[in-house]
Amino acid sequence: MTLQIGNAWIDDSTSYEGMYDYYWTHALNSDETNAGINKNCDYVSGNFSDACYQYQSQGDGEYGGIDIYNIYAPLCDGSTQTPGSVKSFDPCSDGYVSSYLNRAEVQEALHVRNTSWTHCGGDIDGRVPVTSSRYSVNRLKLPIETAWRPWYYNEEVGGYVVGYKGVVLTTVRGAGHTVPSYQPERALVMISSFLQGKLPPPSTE
């Protein structure tokens, strides 16, 4: 059976470790906060002390007013509307989707019970970052069958891929948490390759 998981929060230990390491390596957290997290958070046992939670909370406050699901994206300015396009990401799209999916007639048409829907949330996703995915896969201790390499789309690096025995880890360059919203063409190449049972293309040819 073949399975694809996107931006997966595999387990708390590797996911939190990867998330706070990502913050620090992308200049979103201070050295002091990172040192405090590494000293007080036991990611091996999963036991987090009060000091660990305090430093993690400090780290959450340090990255400031950014979209943590795409750390380089502009923020939504509710006073203006950006025309939708698959070529340019609209930072307000989460708001449009939430409004649409919370309409009673839409929920009725989708045959879902009356609920309050909210959105969740690549390689620029700070909430479920690639570091968390790598830590989770590395814990499986699987042999590597295809070494880490770039893959290409439209004469540019589309992302990176590494093939383990039974698992393939693929990134999409320039994508935030909801990959098709940020990089639809690269996302299509990735998913098409997966459905064809092969890795994304190794060159621009």
Side-chain angles (χ1 to χ4, degrees):
M1 181 169 90
T2 306
L3 178 67
Q4 179 169 9
I5 303 173
N7 296 79
W9 188 273
I10 309 268
D11 67 82
D12 284 350
S13 292
T14 56
S15 294
Y16 280 119
E17 181 181 16
M19 184 173 72
Y20 288 104
D21 281 354
Y22 184 91
Y23 290 174
W24 181 65
T25 59
H26 287 74
L28 303 178
N29 275 178
S30 66
D31 290 347
E32 296 76 21
T33 297
N34 180 257
I37 289 171
N38 288 330
K39 178 181 178 182
N40 293 286
C41 300
D42 186 350
Y43 293 113
V44 176
S45 69
N47 293 325
F48 294 170
S49 65
D50 288 343
C52 168
Y53 287 124
Q54 180 181 346
Y55 276 107
Q56 286 181 337
S57 178
Q58 186 171 310
D60 294 339
E62 283 182 349
Y63 63 70
I66 63 171
D67 179 355
I68 200 61
Y69 296 100
N70 181 342
I71 63 171
Y72 301 121
L75 294 177
C76 173
D77 177 359
S79 64
T80 62
Q81 271 198 334
T82 307
S85 168
V86 297
K87 296 286 188 183
S88 60
F89 176 71
D90 181 350
C92 298
S93 59
D94 286 337
Y96 310 148
V97 173
S98 294
S99 297
Y100 178 75
L101 291 177
N102 280 308
R103 292 171 57 180
E105 62 270 26
V106 171
Q107 293 185 6
E108 183 180 349
L110 294 173
H111 304 285
V112 296
R113 68 174 184 262
N114 185 12
T115 188
S116 178
W117 188 91
T118 59
H119 73 282
C120 63
D123 62 2
I124 53 176
D125 173 17
R127 180 57 65 211
V128 187
V130 67
T131 45
S132 296
S133 299
R134 293 176 83 170
Y135 289 167
S136 296
V137 171
N138 288 341
R139 280 205 179 173
L140 299 174
K141 301 188 184 309
L142 300 172
I144 294 175
E145 295 183 333
T146 303
W148 179 276
R149 65 161 172 82
W151 62 269
Y152 289 83
Y153 169 72
N154 200 22
E155 301 184 357
E156 290 187 354
V157 172
Y160 299 88
V161 62
V162 56
Y164 300 89
K165 185 175 182 180
V167 173
V168 174
L169 176 67
T170 307
T171 72
V172 178
R173 188 169 69 92
H177 190 74
T178 50
V179 174
S181 296
Y182 301 101
Q183 295 291 338
E185 294 164 327
R186 292 176 184 172
L188 180 60
V189 172
M190 180 188 68
I191 194 69
S192 297
S193 299
F194 168 75
L195 293 173
Q196 294 169 33
K198 60 184 184 182
L199 301 182
S203 69
T204 57
E205 298 176 359

